Amino acid sequence: SRRIKEKEREQMRSLYGDLKSVDSELTIAVDGLAVIVHPQLEMNNLDTETLARIFAGEIRNWQEIGGPNQKISLFARDDNSGTFDTFKSLVLARHNVKLSEYAKRYESSGELSEMVYNTPGAIGFIGLSYVNDNKPLALSESGVALSFKPNLFTVSTEDYVLRRRLYMYYPSNNTNVHARRFMQFVQQDQAQAVVEKTGLISLKVNDATIRFNRNYP
């Protein structure tokens, strides 16, 4: 759920070749990182700077940003998560803050989503397919009035600010014919249909996306 880091690339170069080469690095899907809140919370949108301040613990009550007088409960993925790595890069590091020590951390996106649903005043971030019955917030860049909720259209057209690609890596020196065939398969329509069934956004260009682009240049 993130691109290979330069440190990892160099560590594995002698064993597997350059994993960032065209033949080794494959994009298999697109995903949106949804920021979710408790479904009854009277908040609908945030900008990324405010979002960063919330997860840094600088804003601790929704009343501080125009919401109800309710304590904010923070839920985040663990440090080994690609989801957290993406959030840290696109939100926290971008606004020069670190995650609050009071945030509760989870290995599972499903468990995090369930905890947000069961905790009034809660906020968390997960992959788009784990929103479930929570409320996804519309997000905007800092200083921009127009905000977008994460969905098929806004992520695929890159209007939604927290979007990411999902990757698979194939060692350039791998001679296993079955592995090669699998890597070719994951980018074909049959496999991309599986991507869509899981709630992710496939690489296929569909008529709905084309119509959306025409209506919203």
Side-chain angles (χ1 to χ4, degrees):
S1 56
R2 62 166 174 80
R3 200 176 189 193
I4 189 173
K5 297 178 179 179
E6 283 300 317
K7 181 179 179 181
E8 297 167 333
R9 179 188 186 186
E10 294 307 318
Q11 286 177 336
M12 293 186 282
R13 187 186 292 270
S14 62
L15 293 174
Y16 305 122
D18 185 2
L19 291 177
K20 276 193 176 181
S21 69
V22 174
D23 292 332
S24 294
E25 182 181 71
L26 291 93
T27 301
I28 61 169
V30 182
D31 190 19
L33 203 64
V35 174
I36 55 173
V37 296
H38 188 273
Q40 295 181 352
L41 183 70
E42 296 179 1
M43 290 292 295
N44 295 307
N45 55 72
L46 290 172
D47 63 47
T48 56
E49 182 179 2
T50 303
L51 182 63
R53 293 180 61 206
I54 289 173
F55 275 93
E58 296 176 9
I59 298 172
R60 300 188 179 185
N61 192 299
W62 289 108
Q63 192 175 39
E64 297 177 50
I65 51 174
N69 182 13
Q70 193 168 41
K71 176 186 174 182
I72 297 174
S73 297
L74 299 176
F75 296 91
R77 291 294 308 278
D78 64 295
D79 284 335
N80 294 323
S81 162
T83 299
F84 176 68
D85 194 73
T86 300
F87 186 82
K88 181 170 64 174
S89 173
L90 297 180
V91 179
L92 300 177
R94 188 170 183 178
H95 294 286
N96 300 310
V97 297
K98 294 182 178 180
L99 181 68
S100 168
E101 61 180 322
Y102 298 108
K104 295 181 180 179
R105 313 294 297 274
Y106 293 89
E107 292 183 10
S108 162
S109 287
E111 186 179 5
L112 188 153
S113 181
E114 183 178 355
M115 290 301 300
V116 170
Y117 181 78
N118 290 312
T119 309
I123 185 171
F125 54 87
I126 36 83
L128 191 56
S129 59
Y130 291 95
V131 170
N132 299 331
D133 293 322
N134 292 295
K135 180 195 290 186
L137 295 179
L139 300 179
S140 65
E141 297 285 7
S142 303
V144 178
L146 193 61
S147 60
F148 293 93
K149 280 191 174 184
N151 57 45
L152 168 66
F153 299 125
T154 59
V155 174
S156 62
T157 58
E158 300 189 347
D159 289 308
Y160 182 65
V161 295
L162 301 187
R163 57 192 180 275
R164 61 177 175 178
R165 294 182 177 186
L166 304 181
Y167 298 92
M168 291 188 74
Y169 288 89
Y170 179 83
S172 59
N173 58 359
N174 192 333
T175 59
N176 186 307
V177 65
H178 302 294
R180 170 57 69 183
R181 287 176 179 172
F182 179 73
M183 296 304 283
Q184 292 170 344
F185 165 77
V186 296
Q187 295 188 309
Q188 296 173 2
D189 285 352
Q190 184 179 355
Q192 289 297 304
V194 176
V195 166
E196 293 177 351
K197 287 179 181 179
T198 66
L200 298 170
I201 297 169
S202 76
L203 303 179
K204 295 190 297 182
V205 177
N206 56 61
D207 291 340
T209 303
I210 293 172
R211 287 197 301 272
F212 184 85
N213 280 324
R214 286 174 179 169
N215 292 333
Y216 300 91

